[in-house]
């Protein structure tokens, strides 16, 4: 992994990951609240447990309001015990 560059990672992401064919699983105690935040593009502040460089915090200012094209009918809430069936 030491030989992998940022450019290698970005090229692999562009080649193999497209938002229109991704399936993401999240486990939370507040599923309805999370769904509402996702489909309404609510602001998503980032919190860290340790200090970060100012450059990271500046990037975060853009990320917290990044709009995602998530349709309400595409977000499904299922019981965690059914997740991997």
């Amino acid at each position: 992994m030491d030989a992998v560059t940022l450019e290698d990672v970005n090229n692999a992401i562009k080649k193999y990951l497209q938002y229109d064919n991704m399936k993401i699983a999240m486990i939370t105690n507040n599923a309805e609240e999370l769904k509402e935040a996702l489909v309404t593009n609510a602001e998503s502040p980032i919190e860290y447990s340790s200090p970060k460089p100012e450059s990271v915090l500046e990037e975060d200012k853009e990320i917290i309001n990044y709009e995602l094209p998530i349709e309400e009918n595409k977000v499904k809430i299922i019981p965690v015990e059914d997740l991997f069936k």
Side-chain angles (χ1 to χ4, degrees), residues 43-48 56-57 59-64:
E43 186 175 271
S44 181
I46 302 168
E47 297 179 12
Y48 297 102
V56 170
L57 301 177
E59 270 187 44
D60 289 352
K61 289 178 185 177
E62 292 179 37
I63 295 169
I64 64 172

Side-chain angles (χ1 to χ4, degrees), residues 31-74:
E32 290 291 343
E33 192 176 306
L34 176 59
K35 178 179 180 175
E36 181 69 16
L38 290 170
V39 301
T40 63
N41 280 298
E43 186 175 271
S44 181
I46 302 168
E47 297 179 12
Y48 297 102
S49 58
S50 61
K52 297 295 174 230
E54 190 61 34
S55 60
V56 170
L57 301 177
E58 284 301 313
E59 270 187 44
D60 289 352
K61 289 178 185 177
E62 292 179 37
I63 295 169
I64 64 172
N65 290 308
Y66 189 81
E67 290 193 15
L68 301 172
I70 300 174
E71 299 173 26
E72 185 170 2
N73 65 333
K74 300 286 184 176

Side-chain angles (χ1 to χ4, degrees), residues 2 4 12 16 24 31 33-34 82:
D2 290 338
V4 176
Y16 297 107
I24 299 171
E33 192 176 306
L34 176 59
D82 295 338

Side-chain angles (χ1 to χ4, degrees), residues 8-35:
D8 294 334
V9 172
N10 286 335
N11 287 336
I13 289 170
K14 287 176 186 173
K15 183 174 181 179
Y16 297 107
L17 298 178
Q18 298 84 34
Y19 75 88
D20 57 343
N21 67 5
M22 291 179 70
K23 295 183 190 248
I24 299 171
M26 298 179 181
I27 298 173
T28 180
N29 289 330
N30 303 311
E32 290 291 343
E33 192 176 306
L34 176 59
K35 178 179 180 175

